[in-house]
Amino acid sequence: MTATTATATATATAGRHVDDVAPRTRDRVASMRSRTLPPSASAPSAPTDLAGSATSTTRIDLRWSDTSSDELGFRVLRCTGNRCSPVLAVATLPAGTTSWTDPGVVARTTYRYRVEAFNVAGSAASSVATVKTPRR
């Protein structure tokens, strides 16, 4: 049972707060948090120097500098259009990665990318790289 389920169950059935009904559950959740996320943990540094180039009408190559040593990985975020919407996570990459090729693009379209480093404490995103695919 999760803490959320315990809270809902305790509140619905006993009319009391989970702290009164299930102290062991609360302690287990606190224990799991302390093992998962050390108190000194912080989000990784944002990748820098994000750059992209359209190598064909259907392919964009991205590269960046990995400035962190504690990321779990990277997410590549992409959007199109004047409003840059919707923003899609188009790839999740392992720690230490510094380049990626987007094969899912079309001709004569402007794409905006961010690369986000992440770990259990949070995430940090690069600046935006804008790339337009050629006509044909």
Side-chain angles (χ1 to χ4, degrees), residues 4-53:
T4 303
T5 305
T7 301
T9 303
T11 302
T13 60
R16 293 182 289 179
H17 192 272
V18 71
D19 290 342
D20 300 329
V21 177
R24 282 183 271 159
T25 300
R26 183 188 67 237
D27 293 343
R28 274 186 258 150
V29 169
S31 174
M32 288 178 2
R33 283 186 183 139
S34 68
R35 281 184 296 200
T36 305
L37 183 58
S40 63
S42 59
S45 299
T48 60
D49 306 320
L50 177 62
S53 60

Side-chain angles (χ1 to χ4, degrees), residues 55-76:
T55 56
S56 74
T57 57
T58 58
R59 179 180 158 155
I60 291 176
D61 290 342
L62 298 175
R63 64 193 172 287
W64 60 89
S65 296
D66 179 359
T67 61
S68 185
S69 60
D70 62 348
E71 78 269 359
L72 292 176
F74 295 95
R75 279 186 285 271
V76 179

Side-chain angles (χ1 to χ4, degrees), residues 44-47 71 73-77 93 114-118 122-126:
S45 299
E71 78 269 359
F74 295 95
R75 279 186 285 271
V76 179
L77 308 173
L93 307 169
R114 279 188 177 229
V115 175
E116 185 177 73
F118 66 89
S123 62
S126 68

